[in-house]
Amino acid sequence: MHIFLSYASQDRAKVEPVHLALTAQGRHEVFFDRASLPAGEAYDARIREAIAHADLFVFFVSPDAVDAGSYTLSALAKAAQKWPHPRRRVLPVVVKETPFDALPAYLKAVTLLTPSGNLTADVVDAVARIAAGRQRVLRKRAAFGAAGSVALLVLAAVAWQ
């Protein structure tokens, strides 16, 4: 799964272990600005491209992240353009207590993950649940598609006779 991590630079120390843990699993391609933006590359273009290819957008909530004019809000706007509803696509994670009223409406549309223990472990678990749910949906679609194909073949065979 392609995962985009969006956070305020002031929260980097809290987010970096999450990046390392998700990457270490070997199942995800994780966009983390420190590791994913080579020097001299077009910053905005690379971020737009990463969000366009993302399957999941993790937004680390803090007062700095939702501050007017922050780049995190610009990235969130790009995610909102891609996915009109954030359900199963955007995972807001509270890293610093932030007034609910300060959150963009788009984030208020889904439940915020407020880690009760270790931030990294809780985020990795939440991502695993989301990935498992997506796999179930994909398997159901594949099974439905296969069943539909078989039904069409049977109908064609009956019509042919």
Side-chain angles (χ1 to χ4, degrees):
M1 181 161 51
H2 290 82
I3 302 170
F4 186 96
L5 303 181
S6 180
Y7 64 95
S9 59
Q10 296 87 336
D11 301 323
R12 182 174 293 115
K14 292 181 179 183
V15 176
E16 192 162 19
V18 174
H19 164 250
L20 294 172
L22 290 170
T23 302
Q25 290 182 339
R27 290 179 276 182
H28 308 295
E29 189 172 317
V30 183
F31 181 91
F32 180 71
D33 64 349
R34 285 291 188 198
S36 304
L37 289 171
E41 193 167 309
Y43 186 83
D44 288 329
R46 178 67 180 107
I47 288 177
R48 275 194 307 277
E49 179 183 322
I51 294 170
H53 289 98
D55 300 305
L56 179 65
F57 185 96
V58 182
F59 187 92
F60 291 91
V61 177
S62 72
D64 295 312
V66 297
D67 189 30
S70 69
Y71 201 89
T72 51
L73 291 180
S74 296
L76 184 64
K78 290 173 181 55
Q81 287 174 344
K82 180 176 180 176
W83 303 300
H85 194 282
R87 189 171 141 248
R88 288 191 219 132
R89 298 295 189 170
V90 177
L91 174 63
V93 179
V94 177
V95 292
K96 285 184 192 165
E97 192 172 322
T98 305
F100 191 74
D101 291 345
L103 297 178
Y106 186 70
L107 291 180
K108 291 178 184 178
V110 291
T111 304
L112 278 68
L113 172 64
T114 304
S116 57
N118 180 274
L119 171 71
T120 300
D122 287 352
V123 172
V124 168
D125 287 345
V127 168
R129 283 192 304 275
I130 291 168
R134 290 179 53 103
Q135 288 299 326
R136 280 192 299 276
V137 167
L138 292 174
R139 281 194 299 272
K140 284 181 184 177
R141 285 182 186 164
F144 181 72
S149 296
V150 169
L152 286 174
L153 288 173
V154 169
L155 288 173
V158 169
W160 185 260
Q161 292 179 358

